[in-house]
């Protein structure tokens, strides 16, 4: 028999019950990747100009990981990758750089 919904404990469903490695930092710009790679690069440059390098890195990383651009290699994707690596080195995010390089390798 089913328990009534008001007797179900919500403590198990709170974000704090998740392990720390499961909590991801969402970029403040937008979680969805832009429709075009050019827009992702432009948005990242705007964020860098404002001083939000981590958000710019998150935007570029989302564009690289996006399944729509996965099999598409263009010079814009190459520029995104170069900028992505520059930001990873500045922010000392080597794991993010490695993930981006793996994704770029499968594109080419």
């Amino acid at each position: 028999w089913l328990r009534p919904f008001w007797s179900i404990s919500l403590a198990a469903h709170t974000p704090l019950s998740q392990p720390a490695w499961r909590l991801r930092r969402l970029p403040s710009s937008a979680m969805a990747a832009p429709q075009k790679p050019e827009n992702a690069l432009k948005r990242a440059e705007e964020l860098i100009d404002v001083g939000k390098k981590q958000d710019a890195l998150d935007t570029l990383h989302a564009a690289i990981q996006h399944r729509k651009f996965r099999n598409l290699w263009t010079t814009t994707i190459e520029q995104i990758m170069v900028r992505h690596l520059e930001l990873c080195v500045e922010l000392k995010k080597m794991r993010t750089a490695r993930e981006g390089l793996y994704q770029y390798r499968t594109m080419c």
Side-chain angles (χ1 to χ4, degrees):
W1 97 292
L2 297 174
R3 295 186 327 187
F5 69 91
W6 57 83
S7 67
I8 297 173
S9 172
L10 295 178
H13 302 291
T14 59
L16 296 177
S17 66
Q18 295 289 329
W21 58 270
R22 285 195 144 202
L23 298 175
R24 285 198 161 168
R25 184 179 178 280
L26 300 176
S28 63
S29 57
M31 189 54 209
Q35 295 296 319
K36 295 182 180 179
E38 294 86 6
N39 294 344
L41 186 61
K42 183 179 176 183
R43 178 71 179 150
E45 292 297 334
E46 291 170 356
L47 288 169
I48 291 169
D49 291 341
V50 174
K52 296 185 176 185
K53 291 184 178 182
Q54 181 62 47
D55 291 340
L57 178 62
D58 292 340
T59 302
L60 292 176
H61 194 69
I64 291 169
Q65 298 287 334
H66 197 270
R67 61 183 164 90
K68 187 175 182 181
F69 312 137
R70 192 166 288 165
N71 297 323
L72 174 72
W73 184 89
T74 61
T75 55
T76 306
I77 296 289
E78 186 175 352
Q79 292 171 356
I80 286 174
M81 198 60 217
V82 168
R83 195 65 176 141
H84 181 268
L85 287 175
E86 288 173 357
L87 286 172
C88 285
V89 170
E90 282 181 33
L91 299 174
K92 298 179 181 177
K93 301 282 186 176
M94 297 307 136
R95 179 171 288 161
T96 307
R98 187 181 330 134
E99 290 173 4
L101 285 171
Y102 286 153
Q103 194 65 37
Y104 185 70
R105 182 179 65 183
T106 60
M107 274 185 216
C108 296

